[in-house]
Amino acid sequence: MRLSAPGPACTAPTGSPAIPCLSAWCSVQRLRAYPHRTLGKPPARPSRLAAWDESRVTDPDEQVIVSHNWEELRRFMWNYVGIVRTNKRLARARHRVDLLREEIAEFYGNFRVTNDLIELRNLALVAELTILCAQARQESRGLHWNRDYPTALPDSEARDTILIPGGAAGRRG
């Protein structure tokens, strides 16, 4: 293989004039030797720029956070409020859903609203309501079993759980 001296016509290390050297040093030398030339074709200039369409723009960093929060909500609901529950797990889930709802409220104030953000907000609200109902029920009934209350109340004492506006849960007879 023939190595030629670096410069505007450098073909090193290929040794063939058909394959130019692509090293950074040789590129700089070509630009210095031929300043009126550009490497490759210059991009075509549009005669007029189109108007900016914000509806097509999304902030990918924020979409990642929304999808991460969605996954976090699924996981802690499954792990803490799933089929087997304890009062401690329910309290942890409540704390996490409160933090998540605060973060979602911040997104609503600072970023463009998307369908995923709306769905995340709705899921967080349903998660909070589920946790409130589970905390209000002091028995194991049906499919959900609370280790702190392993037995079911007699059917004559069973009551529906209702939610009072403002976040309080109560039992209705």
Side-chain angles (χ1 to χ4, degrees), residues 43-75:
R45 286 185 151 179
S47 59
R48 192 171 154 223
L49 292 176
W52 182 257
D53 183 8
E54 184 185 317
S55 67
R56 297 174 144 194
V57 177
T58 59
D59 191 351
D61 293 337
E62 302 313 318
Q63 287 300 106
V64 166
I65 293 172
V66 169
S67 65
H68 174 75
N69 287 344
W70 198 336
E71 183 64 28
E72 180 184 357
L73 179 67
R74 283 188 196 130
R75 286 207 183 272

Coordinates of all heavy atoms in Angstrom, one line a residue, residues 43-75:
P43 N -27.2 22.2 0.9 CA -28.6 21.9 1.0 C -29.4 23.0 0.2 O -29.1 24.2 0.2 CB -28.9 21.9 2.5 CG -27.8 22.7 3.1 CD -26.6 22.5 2.2
A44 N -30.5 22.5 -0.4 CA -31.3 23.5 -1.1 C -32.1 24.4 -0.1 O -32.5 23.9 0.9 CB -32.3 22.7 -1.9
R45 N -32.1 25.6 -0.4 CA -32.8 26.6 0.5 C -34.2 26.7 0.1 O -34.5 27.0 -1.1 CB -32.2 27.9 0.4 CG -30.8 28.0 1.1 CD -30.4 29.4 1.1 NE -29.6 29.7 2.2 CZ -29.0 30.8 2.4 NH1 -29.2 31.8 1.6 NH2 -28.3 31.0 3.5
P46 N -35.2 26.5 1.0 CA -36.6 26.7 0.7 C -36.8 28.2 0.5 O -36.2 29.1 1.2 CB -37.3 26.2 1.9 CG -36.4 26.2 3.0 CD -35.0 26.1 2.4
S47 N -37.6 28.5 -0.5 CA -37.9 29.9 -0.8 C -38.7 30.6 0.4 O -38.6 31.7 0.7 CB -38.6 30.1 -2.1 OG -39.9 29.4 -2.0
R48 N -39.5 29.8 1.1 CA -40.3 30.3 2.2 C -40.5 29.2 3.2 O -40.9 28.0 2.8 CB -41.7 30.7 1.6 CG -42.5 31.5 2.6 CD -43.7 32.1 1.9 NE -44.6 32.3 2.9 CZ -45.9 32.0 2.9 NH1 -46.4 31.5 1.7 NH2 -46.7 32.2 3.9
L49 N -40.4 29.5 4.4 CA -40.6 28.5 5.5 C -42.0 28.3 5.8 O -42.8 29.3 5.9 CB -39.8 28.9 6.8 CG -38.3 28.9 6.7 CD1 -37.7 29.4 8.0 CD2 -37.8 27.5 6.4
A50 N -42.4 27.1 6.1 CA -43.8 26.9 6.5 C -44.1 27.4 7.9 O -43.2 27.5 8.7 CB -44.1 25.4 6.4
A51 N -45.3 27.7 8.2 CA -45.7 28.2 9.5 C -45.5 27.0 10.5 O -45.7 25.9 10.2 CB -47.1 28.6 9.5
W52 N -45.1 27.4 11.7 CA -44.8 26.4 12.8 C -46.2 25.8 13.3 O -47.1 26.6 13.6 CB -44.1 27.1 13.9 CG -43.8 26.2 15.0 CD1 -44.4 26.1 16.2 CD2 -42.7 25.3 15.1 NE1 -43.9 25.1 17.0 CE2 -42.8 24.6 16.3 CE3 -41.7 24.9 14.2 CZ2 -41.9 23.6 16.7 CZ3 -40.8 23.9 14.6 CH2 -40.9 23.3 15.8
D53 N -46.2 24.5 13.3 CA -47.4 23.8 13.7 C -47.2 23.2 15.1 O -46.6 22.1 15.1 CB -47.8 22.8 12.7 CG -49.1 22.1 13.0 OD1 -49.8 22.5 14.0 OD2 -49.5 21.1 12.3
E54 N -47.6 23.8 16.2 CA -47.3 23.3 17.5 C -48.0 22.0 17.8 O -47.6 21.2 18.7 CB -47.7 24.3 18.6 CG -47.3 23.9 19.9 CD -47.7 24.9 21.0 OE1 -47.6 26.1 20.8 OE2 -48.2 24.4 22.0
S55 N -49.1 21.7 17.1 CA -49.9 20.5 17.5 C -49.2 19.3 17.2 O -49.5 18.2 17.7 CB -51.3 20.6 16.7 OG -51.0 20.4 15.3
R56 N -48.2 19.3 16.3 CA -47.4 18.1 16.0 C -46.2 17.9 16.9 O -45.5 16.9 16.8 CB -46.9 18.2 14.6 CG -48.1 18.2 13.6 CD -47.5 18.4 12.2 NE -48.3 17.7 11.3 CZ -47.9 17.4 10.1 NH1 -46.8 17.9 9.6 NH2 -48.7 16.8 9.3
V57 N -45.9 18.9 17.8 CA -44.7 18.8 18.6 C -45.1 18.1 19.9 O -46.1 18.4 20.6 CB -44.2 20.3 18.9 CG1 -43.0 20.3 19.8 CG2 -43.9 20.9 17.6
T58 N -44.2 17.2 20.3 CA -44.3 16.7 21.7 C -42.9 16.8 22.3 O -41.9 16.8 21.6 CB -44.7 15.2 21.6 OG1 -43.7 14.5 20.8 CG2 -46.1 15.0 21.0
D59 N -42.9 16.9 23.6 CA -41.7 16.9 24.4 C -41.4 15.5 24.8 O -42.0 15.0 25.8 CB -41.9 17.9 25.6 CG -40.5 18.2 26.2 OD1 -39.5 17.5 25.8 OD2 -40.5 19.0 27.1
P60 N -40.4 14.8 24.1 CA -40.2 13.4 24.5 C -39.7 13.2 25.9 O -40.0 12.2 26.5 CB -39.1 13.0 23.5 CG -38.5 14.2 22.9 CD -39.5 15.3 23.1
D61 N -39.0 14.2 26.5 CA -38.6 14.0 27.9 C -39.8 13.9 28.8 O -39.8 13.1 29.7 CB -37.7 15.2 28.3 CG -36.4 15.2 27.6 OD1 -36.0 14.1 27.1 OD2 -35.8 16.3 27.5
E62 N -40.8 14.7 28.6 CA -42.0 14.6 29.4 C -42.8 13.4 29.1 O -43.4 12.9 30.1 CB -42.8 15.9 29.2 CG -42.1 17.2 29.5 CD -41.3 17.1 30.8 OE1 -41.8 16.6 31.8 OE2 -40.1 17.6 30.8
Q63 N -42.8 12.9 27.9 CA -43.6 11.7 27.6 C -42.9 10.5 28.4 O -43.6 9.6 28.8 CB -43.6 11.4 26.1 CG -44.5 12.3 25.3 CD -45.9 12.2 25.8 OE1 -46.4 13.1 26.5 NE2 -46.6 11.1 25.4
V64 N -41.6 10.5 28.5 CA -40.9 9.5 29.2 C -41.4 9.5 30.7 O -41.6 8.4 31.3 CB -39.4 9.6 29.1 CG1 -38.7 8.8 30.1 CG2 -39.0 9.3 27.7
I65 N -41.5 10.7 31.3 CA -41.9 10.8 32.7 C -43.3 10.3 32.8 O -43.6 9.6 33.8 CB -41.7 12.2 33.1 CG1 -40.2 12.6 33.2 CG2 -42.4 12.4 34.5 CD1 -40.0 14.0 33.5
V66 N -44.2 10.6 31.9 CA -45.6 10.2 32.0 C -45.7 8.7 31.9 O -46.3 8.0 32.7 CB -46.5 10.8 30.9 CG1 -47.8 10.2 30.8 CG2 -46.6 12.3 31.2
S67 N -44.9 8.1 31.0 CA -45.0 6.6 30.9 C -44.3 5.9 32.1 O -44.8 4.9 32.5 CB -44.3 6.1 29.6 OG -42.9 6.4 29.6
H68 N -43.3 6.6 32.6 CA -42.7 6.0 33.9 C -43.7 6.1 35.0 O -43.8 5.1 35.8 CB -41.4 6.8 34.2 CG -40.8 6.4 35.5 ND1 -40.1 5.3 35.7 CD2 -40.8 7.1 36.7 CE1 -39.7 5.2 37.0 NE2 -40.1 6.3 37.6
N69 N -44.4 7.2 35.2 CA -45.4 7.3 36.3 C -46.5 6.3 36.1 O -47.0 5.8 37.1 CB -45.9 8.7 36.3 CG -44.9 9.7 36.9 OD1 -43.9 9.3 37.5 ND2 -45.2 11.0 36.6
W70 N -46.9 6.1 34.8 CA -47.9 5.1 34.6 C -47.5 3.7 35.0 O -48.2 3.0 35.7 CB -48.2 5.1 33.1 CG -49.5 4.5 32.6 CD1 -50.3 3.6 33.2 CD2 -50.2 4.8 31.4 NE1 -51.3 3.3 32.5 CE2 -51.3 4.0 31.4 CE3 -49.9 5.6 30.3 CZ2 -52.2 4.1 30.3 CZ3 -50.7 5.7 29.3 CH2 -51.9 4.9 29.2
E71 N -46.3 3.4 34.7 CA -45.7 2.0 35.1 C -45.6 2.0 36.6 O -45.9 0.9 37.2 CB -44.4 1.8 34.4 CG -43.8 0.4 34.7 CD -44.6 -0.7 34.2 OE1 -45.3 -0.5 33.2 OE2 -44.6 -1.8 34.8
E72 N -45.2 3.1 37.3 CA -45.0 3.1 38.7 C -46.4 2.9 39.4 O -46.5 2.1 40.3 CB -44.4 4.4 39.1 CG -44.2 4.5 40.6 CD -43.7 5.9 41.1 OE1 -43.5 6.7 40.2 OE2 -43.6 6.1 42.3
L73 N -47.4 3.5 38.9 CA -48.8 3.4 39.4 C -49.2 1.9 39.3 O -49.8 1.4 40.3 CB -49.7 4.3 38.7 CG -51.2 4.3 39.1 CD1 -51.3 4.8 40.5 CD2 -52.0 5.1 38.1
R74 N -49.0 1.3 38.2 CA -49.4 -0.1 38.0 C -48.7 -1.0 39.0 O -49.4 -1.8 39.6 CB -49.1 -0.6 36.6 CG -50.0 -0.1 35.6 CD -49.7 -0.8 34.3 NE -50.3 -0.1 33.2 CZ -49.7 0.2 32.1 NH1 -48.4 0.0 31.9 NH2 -50.3 0.9 31.1
R75 N -47.4 -0.8 39.2 CA -46.7 -1.6 40.0 C -47.0 -1.5 41.5 O -47.2 -2.5 42.2 CB -45.2 -1.4 39.9 CG -44.6 -1.9 38.6 CD -43.2 -2.2 38.7 NE -42.6 -2.7 37.5 CZ -42.6 -3.9 37.1 NH1 -43.2 -4.9 37.9 NH2 -42.1 -4.3 36.0

